[in-house]
Amino acid sequence: MPKMGITFALAKGRILQQTMPLLEQAGLVPSEDVLTTRKLMVDGPVVNGCPVRFLIIRAADVCTYVMQGAADMGIVGRDILLESRPDVFSPLDLEIGRCRLCIAGPEALVRQGSPKRGSRIRVATKYDYLTEQYYRSQGLQSEVIHLYGSMELAPLVGMAERIVDVVETGSTLKANGLIEEATLFDISSRLIVNPASSVTRSDMIKPLIARLREAVVAQRTHRSEK
Ligand code: PRP
């Protein structure tokens, strides 16, 4: 009897391009090009008699699918894990999607130094929890202005004094006259697993994690040889 399949949630966007070589290395190749297809669910290979299928969804939704058990496992950035604190296991750093979460602001404002203790700073971000936590730890009050993207615009139109957002190359900050004030933490993509699946489907999940772990090492070696 064929085994019940494993569902693997992949995040759309920039990160998907870096995910594909890793999946290929692990022998987990989707049946069609997930970078171009409009399909949201794509078949994958059969591993040890168990079919694998992929969901192609928004990065912010990967945790929800995995937490609800609609996906057994998924790939998501550390930033999203720390912001939404989902009830999932995170057994593996995939060493892709490297960037950092930063506070940034207009150059002139940042050069004035840290705002006085007790003063209130308007911060545009989609990382409400992490932003409030950081400012509280600094003894500063923040007013979070929640945005879904293009945070860099908010200081330019006077809607915020700072932004908290991911920075990879720094070119978006530069193009908008902003500079980094502080780095909150480094980010890379993580494998996440539904806690119930990791118990009831461990016969399938464990070999998949092992394959991905080997692929991470192979890709690391490949990068260091370049
Ligand atoms: C992300 C992020 C920054 C930019 C940083 O946005 O929000 O705007 O990338 O990258 P850089 O340091 O290499 O310039 P993305 O383009 O992913 O779109 P988003 O605004 O929808 O998040």
Side-chain angles (χ1 to χ4, degrees):
M1 204 172 73
K3 290 184 195 167
M4 203 171 84
I6 285 282
T7 303
F8 200 146
L10 304 177
K12 280 183 188 178
R14 283 189 206 205
I15 183 66
L16 195 52
Q17 282 174 10
Q18 294 180 40
T19 304
M20 296 326 291
L22 197 63
L23 291 179
E24 255 166 52
Q25 184 95 45
L28 302 172
V29 183
S31 60
E32 51 190 289
D33 185 356
V34 295
L35 294 171
T36 54
T37 185
R38 299 296 298 167
K39 272 197 190 173
L40 302 173
M41 190 157 68
V42 173
D43 286 336
V46 175
V47 179
N48 301 340
C50 171
V52 177
R53 67 177 180 180
F54 297 98
L55 309 183
I56 321 300
I57 53 183
R58 295 283 295 258
D61 291 334
V62 168
C63 289
T64 306
Y65 277 78
V66 173
M67 223 170 25
Q68 294 290 330
D72 299 289
M73 53 209 297
I75 294 180
V76 71
R78 184 175 179 228
D79 53 327
I80 293 175
L81 280 183
L82 293 177
E83 174 66 23
S84 60
R85 294 151 287 135
D87 183 15
V88 295
F89 293 151
S90 170
L92 185 60
D93 181 350
L94 298 170
E95 301 181 10
I96 56 172
R98 287 186 188 281
C99 51
R100 54 197 187 277
L101 192 71
C102 292
I103 299 183
E107 185 165 1
L109 261 187
V110 172
R111 298 238 181 270
Q112 284 172 19
S114 281
K116 285 198 191 91
R117 281 179 100 80
S119 60
R120 199 170 174 82
I121 305 142
R122 292 175 304 164
V123 190
T125 188
K126 60 181 171 190
Y127 301 95
D128 301 22
Y129 169 76
L130 294 169
T131 299
E132 276 165 4
Q133 203 189 34
Y134 173 80
Y135 276 100
R136 202 173 311 124
S137 76
Q138 301 294 305
L140 299 169
Q141 284 185 22
S142 60
E143 178 192 337
V144 167
I145 297 173
H146 187 89
L147 294 175
Y148 292 92
S150 306
M151 324 305 167
E152 293 85 357
L153 183 59
L156 305 189
V157 294
M159 193 162 75
E161 287 84 38
R162 296 286 191 275
I163 65 167
V164 169
D165 196 12
V166 297
V167 176
E168 187 183 352
T169 61
S171 54
T172 311
L173 289 183
K174 197 169 176 207
N176 292 290
L178 305 177
I179 59 167
E180 285 179 47
E181 183 174 46
T183 297
L184 269 56
F185 52 77
D186 289 325
I187 298 168
S188 58
S189 296
R190 307 297 160 108
L191 182 69
I192 58 169
V193 178
N194 174 277
S197 299
S198 78
V199 177
T200 59
R201 323 274 338 266
S202 69
D203 57 328
M204 267 314 301
I205 303 259
K206 274 189 185 163
L208 288 177
I209 295 176
R211 276 178 180 232
L212 285 163
R213 184 170 282 122
E214 281 171 25
V216 169
V217 174
Q219 295 274 302
R220 191 194 303 147
T221 309
H222 181 66
R223 276 196 302 272
S224 70
E225 283 168 354
K226 267 189 188 170

